Amino acid sequence: MIDTTAPTAVLFGLTYILRTKRYALVMEYSPLGTMEQQPLATTWKDVMEQAFRISANLDKMHRAGVVHGDLHPANIVFSSQRPMIVGVGLSRAVTDRRAVAYRPPEAVEGADGTKAADVYCLGTLLWQMVTGVPPRRETKCGDSIPGAAPEYNDIIQRCWDKDPSARPSAEDVAGFTSFWLYRCKHKDDESPFLPETRAFVAERRAVHLEQSEADGFGSLTSRL
């Protein structure tokens, strides 16, 4: 039986593929694909639920002494509505330019295999949970999401702190989102995105699509 509370997809073993002559991991099936392939959020409740589950999963890993080292949307997969973290410790080199947006500043010096580095990447995921696209470089210098709770923008910026020791823990992020969901539940309020948030998301996605096509990356993969 699959453990539905596990932070990562269940690993069943290895298999050898005769056609490619390579080994492959056999893991729990994730029928809903990656984070990039999920429908865009339309309410803050949707965002906070996803943020809580992913940050709580990362916290479980960190408590077990496991550092991911390569956290980005392609390494978040969904089974039903349960997000799971995959690719733990398997990829150290950045071979895809799109993954650079998720790397912490200290990665330049090869010091990215830490919990703090994972949290930096988590901050970028928090941004993308709203916009559907990674942030632009200048975004990490104080930009914020219109219509978001000030605390949400604040925790993203704290995750992006250039000083790894100043970043919150995954537990801190999970605690913040859990508290927000608790308040939301008692208010019976899903907090739909305000018009300024929807306009911001549309603008950022349009710019990202234009840049991606110019770079030869193709179209966006998030489901509309």
Side-chain angles (χ1 to χ4, degrees):
M1 180 178 294
I2 293 176
D3 180 4
T4 58
T5 66
T8 62
V10 176
L11 174 63
F12 295 112
L14 285 171
T15 186
Y16 183 72
I17 304 174
L18 292 174
R19 181 174 57 84
T20 61
K21 296 182 179 180
R22 291 183 177 182
Y23 287 96
L25 297 175
V26 180
M27 305 187 74
E28 178 182 348
Y29 179 50
S30 304
L32 299 182
T34 68
M35 178 177 160
E36 293 174 308
Q37 297 170 309
Q38 302 311 299
L40 282 175
T42 58
T43 71
W44 285 106
K45 181 182 178 183
D46 293 338
V47 171
M48 293 296 186
E49 285 181 342
Q50 189 176 112
F52 169 70
R53 289 170 179 154
I54 293 174
S55 57
N57 283 349
L58 185 61
D59 177 46
K60 287 181 182 178
M61 290 174 53
H62 286 177
R63 286 174 180 270
V66 177
V67 172
H68 190 284
D70 191 26
L71 195 61
H72 55 77
N75 278 333
I76 306 293
V77 298
F78 286 75
S79 176
S80 297
Q81 297 302 314
R82 180 171 69 98
M84 299 174 292
I85 300 173
V86 298
V88 181
L90 294 179
S91 179
R92 304 299 305 149
V94 180
T95 57
D96 188 335
R97 282 182 292 163
R98 290 172 293 183
V100 173
Y102 306 93
R103 310 299 285 187
E106 61 267 26
V108 176
E109 301 175 356
D112 57 337
T114 65
K115 294 178 182 179
D118 281 351
V119 169
Y120 181 94
C121 301
L122 177 60
T124 304
L125 294 180
L126 294 177
W127 176 277
Q128 190 159 340
M129 288 172 199
V130 180
T131 64
V133 295
R136 298 184 298 205
R137 182 176 301 175
E138 60 269 26
T139 294
K140 297 182 179 180
C141 298
D143 202 356
S144 60
I145 300 172
E151 298 88 349
Y152 192 79
N153 281 320
D154 177 66
I155 204 161
I156 290 176
Q157 293 298 328
R158 288 173 57 204
C159 288
W160 288 340
D161 199 298
K162 292 182 179 179
D163 179 2
S165 66
R167 295 171 194 157
S169 65
E171 180 183 13
D172 292 334
V173 179
F176 160 71
T177 52
S178 175
F179 180 66
W180 192 97
L181 288 169
Y182 173 81
R183 290 188 303 176
C184 181
K185 179 180 179 181
H186 283 265
K187 291 181 180 179
D188 193 26
D189 178 16
E190 294 193 354
S191 298
F193 285 175
L194 296 174
E196 55 262 41
T197 306
R198 295 197 298 270
F200 178 80
V201 170
E203 183 268 332
R204 288 304 170 97
R205 288 176 63 80
V207 170
H208 181 77
L209 178 58
E210 182 179 343
Q211 292 176 341
S212 296
E213 290 178 340
D215 291 339
F217 289 147
S219 61
L220 296 168
T221 56
S222 296
R223 298 169 183 163
L224 299 177

